[in-house]
Amino acid sequence: LTRDKKRAGGVTLEKSAPSFQTRGFSFTTKKTPSLHHGDSLSSTIINERRSGYLMIMNISERNEIIPLLPNADFPDVRIACGERVLVGDDASAYIPNIWENASSGTDHLVAMVSDVPLLSAPLPPLGEALSASAVSELISKLETLDADGWAADIISFTILP
């Protein structure tokens, strides 16, 4: 669903650290970036749409959906139009460090901004995957929103040992 929502005037996710360059959604022309175990996932989210609720997830190499925001400490994160949010960096107001902990495979970092909150309480502790029922609820919410009800961007990367 996220790959289909990338469009102008939505959300942009930029990798901050120089370990790899972000890529666009023209999959046939650009190489998938790489990270090594322990590399930083420091990234900046730029909201180019109207204000809304921010959600950041890591979709692991095992296809687990791990919410980074919202989380138990920040259950309701709003982002204004034009606002930039840094995550995975010491200067972040929300998540100071995000490190790649897988040893191989492909991970996806996803940023979404929506008109309504997409995850319901109770939220899993930071770093734990959503349950199957929570994933199903999330997908159902996304499918019922109007076309302009949310926007997203995704960075996919290969994990190297």
Side-chain angles (χ1 to χ4, degrees):
L1 288 171
T2 301
R3 289 185 201 280
D4 294 338
K5 289 299 286 188
K6 174 67 179 165
R7 63 177 182 263
V11 174
T12 303
L13 177 60
E14 296 177 348
K15 178 77 172 74
S16 301
S19 58
F20 73 83
Q21 298 298 316
T22 61
R23 67 173 186 166
F25 283 96
S26 180
F27 294 115
T28 58
T29 61
K30 299 204 178 178
K31 181 181 174 188
T32 300
S34 300
L35 282 181
H36 293 277
H37 178 83
D39 280 352
S40 170
L41 295 177
S42 176
S43 302
T44 302
I45 294 97
I46 302 111
N47 184 23
E48 301 160 344
R49 69 183 297 274
R50 62 185 173 268
S51 298
Y53 294 88
L54 175 61
M55 182 171 72
I56 304 168
M57 301 175 295
N58 181 36
I59 301 175
S60 77
E61 74 284 358
R62 295 183 308 270
N63 289 322
E64 296 174 313
I65 297 177
I66 303 163
L68 303 174
L69 280 179
N71 60 47
D73 293 329
F74 299 101
D76 184 31
V77 180
R78 302 262 308 158
I79 185 171
C81 180
E83 186 176 356
R84 299 171 70 91
V85 173
L86 177 66
V87 294
D89 186 274
D90 289 339
S92 174
Y94 299 107
I95 306 171
N97 293 304
I98 307 172
W99 305 100
E100 181 52 60
N101 63 8
S103 59
S104 65
T106 300
D107 273 12
H108 312 279
L109 190 62
V110 179
M112 293 183 177
V113 177
S114 60
D115 292 342
V116 297
L118 296 173
L119 293 177
S120 302
L123 296 169
L126 184 61
E128 288 191 21
L130 292 175
S131 67
S133 62
V135 170
S136 178
E137 182 180 330
L138 170 62
I139 291 169
S140 293
K141 283 183 181 179
L142 289 171
E143 290 176 335
T144 61
L145 288 176
D146 291 336
D148 292 332
W150 64 288
D153 197 2
I154 183 170
I155 298 173
S156 299
F157 47 91
T158 301
I159 304 149
L160 302 173

